[in-house]
Amino acid sequence: MTFQGMWADLLPVGRRADGGYQRFAWTAADMQCREWFRAGAARRGMDVETDRNGNLWAWLGAPGPDAVVTGSHLDSVPGGGAYDGPLGIVSAFAAIDALDRSALRRPLAVVAFTDEEGARFGVACLGSRLAAGVADPERTLALKDPDGTTLAEAMRAQGHDPSYVGPDPEALQRIGLFVELHVEQGRALEAPVGLGTAIWPHGRWRYDFRGEGNHAGTTALADRRDPMLSYAMTVLAARKRARLGGALATFGRVHVDPGGTNAIAVAVTGWLDSRAPDEATLAAVTAEIEQQAAERAARDGVTLTVTTESTSPEVSFPRVTLDWAAGVLGDPPRLPTGAGHDAGVLAAAGVPTAMLFVRNPTGVSHAPAEYAEEADCLAGVAALTRLLTAAAC
Amino acid sequence: MTFQGMWADLLPVGRRADGGYQRFAWTAADMQCREWFRAGAARRGMDVETDRNGNLWAWLGAPGPDAVVTGSHLDSVPGGGAYDGPLGIVSAFAAIDALDRSALRRPLAVVAFTDEEGARFGVACLGSRLAAGVADPERTLALKDPDGTTLAEAMRAQGHDPSYVGPDPEALQRIGLFVELHVEQGRALEAPVGLGTAIWPHGRWRYDFRGEGNHAGTTALADRRDPMLSYAMTVLAARKRARLGGALATFGRVHVDPGGTNAIAVAVTGWLDSRAPDEATLAAVTAEIEQQAAERAARDGVTLTVTTESTSPEVSFPRVTLDWAAGVLGDPPRLPTGAGHDAGVLAAAGVPTAMLFVRNPTGVSHAPAEYAEEADCLAGVAALTRLLTAAAC
């Protein structure tokens, strides 16, 4: 099956009426994606293994050691695009088809990490973090989705036994080289293909503002303790602090209790996503945002609790791997990214890792309009094939 | 059954774990409230009639003309209190028990208007507005709840035929006097019982901000069209404009699409509730809010559509009725309110109407902590009994 055929096959899974994707971990759409993965592996005579954390590995030959592994993830953000994640898996299978199997000297695998986006349980890169031992299994299994379902319950509902979830050194130690191909998510890449140098440090913080519920038509302004005001000011402060500090800060998710048109809110919860080129900048900007939020909340008679949901330190892809890949590919552009990836988690865990980016003409990502030209995707497959061939043959 | 017995009987219906009430129109909880109403009427030998718009009327004697009618509503805002609405119905039944039936010269009825809060379909006082002919039946029946269910479908699901929904002059013309007893919703009343003079003009406006969805970690701030920023600034502008203009303005409900932590929102919808002592002030303040919102949205590269969901003109309760009630009750305090009521809709439709308020010691309303002292509630019942006796005997 060609790249285009695989792509067309996966395209309808979890697609909403507006064209956006809803492929959350351990939902029916995720299970359909996994079926698609299994079928692709079977078609190539690859054996599929599900590891203790729910990541899928399709093996060409017997598993490890010193294996060459490529892949990405199949899940999406709410209303996400088609490319973020799946492009790396489809390209991996296409590269397997393109290389000369008879010349293989090392085991080769395609991996699909589970719950990279963290859209359902709030923590990104769950599959790779658990395997690398940087996410605590007990705390992670107790994470709840918006319906109150825990990760453990969600796994069990899909037939995955959560009792083995946790660090998986055996799975990671067999990797001799990991390459993740991913659509670029800004407009930083002008060539069809580039190499990732680093991932900005980033994190997610939950801001819980709590005031006093009341009637919107009878409560004097001076008597109010309205958490919506504190939230609104924090949204604007985050943007301003990020701009002044050379960082990124976004509130893209908010929950209001009770959420009635004629009721002053009791509580407003907003989620801050922030990233910066280095950890000192990120720490400074997020501290400033929290301080401004706390000051405003105090003026509004509102309490504020800030909870760190996840943080990812700065990750630089190993220089030796990067220079090797650049040599194989004829020195394509190099670029850092603000987006987190399983490749970053693996690199931080000491796995030799490289990232390939495919050009994004509009820079749109995490949205239905996310897009890459087919010619650029095929250039990505060709680059990935060259890397796998150079490493494994 | 005593006031306390009726109150205890109704208390568990539609109560959430946090103590707040969720009694939306045409839901199971609303149906349970209606069953409670029917049982109370049956216990008193009153015949219950459901009018074409779903309002319930319990009649002592044959229906109208020149009837004395009292009542309120049973539905709630999301997470509302126990008193807003039900206090008027329970007090009405208690007053029926307290008066001398043998002396009645006029028909007497207790009415429960449907969907006063507008919590499910976005428009308040639906039952009385439809009856008075100020809500268009076709447009109203097509209103959708957040799940996409129309009012017509919701009615049909509970066995109410929506094809007769619309103006109901017969139901209203038989009312010679309407008295609504309601818990006060601010801290304006220092005596146990007071008389309403007027309802502030008020309205609800939906603000739809639409930008461009994108990745929170890779999209440069300058490349963003983030509707959350425009929304946040509008929340703060609304508060400031209301303060400067002597009005009230509240955003208590917001919806974000797609609502992902690591995604810049595509669209943010916020609902503005605004009220003022007079219509000119309300018009000026809401125009200023809209102008500031539009200016900010333009700077953010965001489109803004403002839709008026409902407006209620200023209502003064008729002076003759007010003076008569004040005479019967020994001149209790008089006060206006910022909250809308079915009594206001009826007064605007020319029905002789009076409103009794029961003291609210904390001023909290539309929240679980909403509260009135039992002694004050019983003073309310006594006042209502005197008004009904003076009018009907």
Side-chain angles (χ1 to χ4, degrees):
Chain A
M1 203 180 226
T2 61
F3 174 91
Q4 293 87 343
M6 284 188 279
W7 191 252
D9 211 25
L10 184 58
L11 218 52
V13 178
R15 186 162 54 183
R16 311 190 308 194
D18 67 357
Y21 285 88
Q22 205 88 0
R23 294 168 173 165
F24 294 170
W26 306 106
T27 62
D30 185 20
M31 293 300 113
Q32 270 185 277
C33 289
R34 287 163 181 263
E35 276 317 301
W36 172 91
F37 183 92
R38 285 175 201 285
R43 211 174 288 120
R44 290 167 180 86
M46 300 171 86
D47 289 331
V48 174
E49 155 204 310
T50 305
D51 71 20
R52 50 173 65 202
N53 296 303
N55 306 309
L56 296 177
W57 304 74
W59 286 96
L60 199 62
D66 200 29
V68 175
V69 181
T70 183
S72 187
H73 64 96
L74 291 165
D75 67 307
S76 79
V77 296
Y83 293 78
D84 179 354
L87 182 63
I89 309 268
V90 171
S91 299
F93 281 132
I96 297 277
D97 293 344
L99 54 74
D100 177 7
R101 288 194 186 198
S102 66
L104 280 180
R105 293 173 298 106
R106 291 164 71 179
L108 204 60
V110 178
V111 64
F113 285 106
T114 186
D115 205 355
E116 196 264 357
E117 299 290 2
R120 183 168 178 192
F121 298 100
V123 180
C125 296
L126 269 187
S128 56
R129 276 176 202 259
L130 284 166
V134 293
D136 175 67
E138 210 168 312
R139 209 185 126 216
T140 304
L141 286 170
L143 291 172
K144 286 181 181 172
D145 72 7
D147 293 335
T149 305
T150 63
L151 173 59
E153 289 162 354
M155 284 179 162
R156 214 175 279 120
Q158 298 295 359
H160 185 78
D161 184 351
S163 43
Y164 300 100
V165 160
D168 197 353
E170 282 174 26
L172 299 194
Q173 279 165 10
R174 61 194 176 180
I175 307 178
L177 172 71
F178 178 62
V179 184
E180 179 165 1
L181 179 149
H182 204 281
V183 66
E184 218 280 285
Q185 294 173 284
R187 294 188 300 167
L189 180 59
E190 294 184 8
V193 175
L195 278 167
T197 54
I199 295 178
W200 282 16
H202 57 279
R204 297 174 176 194
W205 292 264
R206 195 178 72 240
Y207 277 63
D208 285 300
F209 299 95
R210 197 165 182 88
E212 183 176 57
N214 220 325
H215 192 298
T218 54
T219 314
L221 295 179
D223 285 346
R224 296 178 177 212
R225 294 167 47 205
D226 184 351
M228 189 70 89
L229 298 172
S230 319
Y231 168 74
M233 194 279 196
T234 304
V235 168
L236 299 175
R239 166 70 171 225
K240 186 171 180 185
R241 291 293 139 203
R243 180 167 55 75
L244 296 176
L248 298 174
T250 311
F251 280 91
R253 180 180 169 202
V254 61
H255 179 79
V256 183
D257 178 31
T261 304
N262 54 358
I264 299 161
V266 175
V268 176
T269 300
W271 281 261
L272 169 66
D273 177 300
S274 188
R275 327 209 178 195
D278 60 80
E279 295 179 18
T281 303
L282 182 63
V285 165
T286 54
E288 285 167 1
I289 295 169
E290 182 169 340
Q291 190 190 330
Q292 274 200 271
E295 283 169 9
R296 173 69 195 223
R299 283 207 302 284
D300 290 332
V302 163
T303 61
L304 168 63
T305 312
V306 179
T307 307
T308 303
E309 289 203 332
S310 68
T311 55
S312 302
E314 182 176 357
V315 174
S316 294
F317 293 111
R319 188 61 194 244
V320 170
T321 317
L322 184 61
D323 287 346
W324 166 81
V328 173
L329 299 178
D331 217 12
R334 302 181 182 201
L335 64 161
T337 178
H341 295 287
D342 295 307
V345 176
L346 266 59
V351 175
T353 297
M355 266 203 94
L356 274 177
F357 288 116
V358 170
R359 175 165 58 187
N360 184 327
T362 63
V364 172
S365 186
H366 283 191
E370 182 183 83
Y371 178 67
E373 296 285 349
E374 189 178 293
D376 290 352
C377 294
L378 296 178
V381 171
L384 181 60
T385 306
R386 285 167 72 185
L387 287 182
L388 299 183
T389 300
C393 298
Chain B
M1 203 178 226
T2 61
F3 175 90
Q4 291 87 345
M6 283 188 280
W7 190 254
D9 210 26
L10 184 58
L11 218 52
V13 178
R15 187 162 53 183
R16 312 191 306 196
D18 67 356
Y21 285 89
Q22 205 86 0
R23 293 168 174 165
F24 294 170
W26 305 107
T27 62
D30 185 21
M31 293 299 114
Q32 271 186 276
C33 289
R34 288 164 181 261
E35 276 316 302
W36 171 93
F37 183 92
R38 286 175 201 284
R43 212 175 287 121
R44 290 167 179 85
M46 300 171 86
D47 290 332
V48 174
E49 156 203 310
T50 306
D51 71 19
R52 51 173 66 202
N53 297 304
N55 307 307
L56 297 177
W57 303 73
W59 286 96
L60 198 64
D66 200 26
V68 176
V69 180
T70 182
S72 188
H73 64 94
L74 291 166
D75 67 307
S76 79
V77 295
Y83 292 78
D84 179 353
L87 183 64
I89 310 267
V90 171
S91 299
F93 281 131
I96 297 276
D97 293 343
L99 56 72
D100 178 7
R101 286 194 187 198
S102 66
L104 281 177
R105 292 174 297 105
R106 291 163 73 178
L108 204 60
V110 177
V111 65
F113 284 106
T114 186
D115 205 354
E116 196 265 357
E117 299 290 2
R120 183 167 177 192
F121 298 100
V123 181
C125 296
L126 269 188
S128 56
R129 276 177 203 258
L130 284 165
V134 293
D136 175 66
E138 210 168 313
R139 212 186 124 214
T140 304
L141 286 170
L143 291 171
K144 286 182 182 173
D145 71 9
D147 294 334
T149 306
T150 63
L151 173 60
E153 290 162 354
M155 285 179 161
R156 215 175 278 121
Q158 299 294 359
H160 185 81
D161 183 351
S163 44
Y164 299 100
V165 160
D168 196 353
E170 283 174 24
L172 299 194
Q173 278 165 12
R174 60 195 176 179
I175 307 178
L177 171 72
F178 178 62
V179 184
E180 179 166 1
L181 179 149
H182 204 282
V183 67
E184 218 279 285
Q185 293 173 284
R187 294 187 301 166
L189 180 58
E190 294 183 9
V193 175
L195 278 167
T197 54
I199 295 178
W200 283 15
H202 57 277
R204 298 174 175 192
W205 291 266
R206 195 177 72 240
Y207 277 64
D208 286 300
F209 300 95
R210 196 166 183 87
E212 183 177 57
N214 220 325
H215 192 297
T218 53
T219 314
L221 295 179
D223 285 346
R224 296 178 177 212
R225 294 167 46 207
D226 184 351
M228 188 70 88
L229 298 172
S230 320
Y231 168 73
M233 194 279 195
T234 304
V235 168
L236 298 175
R239 165 71 169 223
K240 184 170 181 185
R241 291 293 140 205
R243 180 166 57 75
L244 296 176
L248 298 175
T250 310
F251 279 91
R253 181 179 168 201
V254 61
H255 179 80
V256 183
D257 178 31
T261 303
N262 55 357
I264 300 162
V266 175
V268 175
T269 300
W271 281 262
L272 169 67
D273 177 300
S274 189
R275 326 208 180 196
D278 59 81
E279 294 178 19
T281 303
L282 183 63
V285 166
T286 54
E288 284 167 3
I289 296 169
E290 182 168 341
Q291 192 190 327
Q292 273 199 271
E295 283 170 11
R296 173 70 195 222
R299 283 207 302 283
D300 290 332
V302 162
T303 61
L304 168 64
T305 313
V306 179
T307 308
T308 303
E309 289 203 333
S310 68
T311 55
S312 302
E314 183 178 358
V315 173
S316 294
F317 293 112
R319 189 60 195 242
V320 170
T321 316
L322 183 62
D323 288 346
W324 166 82
V328 172
L329 300 177
D331 218 10
R334 303 181 182 200
L335 63 161
T337 178
H341 295 287
D342 295 307
V345 176
L346 265 58
V351 176
T353 296
M355 266 203 96
L356 274 178
F357 287 115
V358 170
R359 176 165 57 187
N360 184 325
T362 62
V364 172
S365 185
H366 283 192
E370 182 183 83
Y371 178 67
E373 297 285 349
E374 188 179 291
D376 291 352
C377 293
L378 295 178
V381 172
L384 181 60
T385 306
R386 285 167 72 186
L387 288 182
L388 298 183
T389 301
C393 299

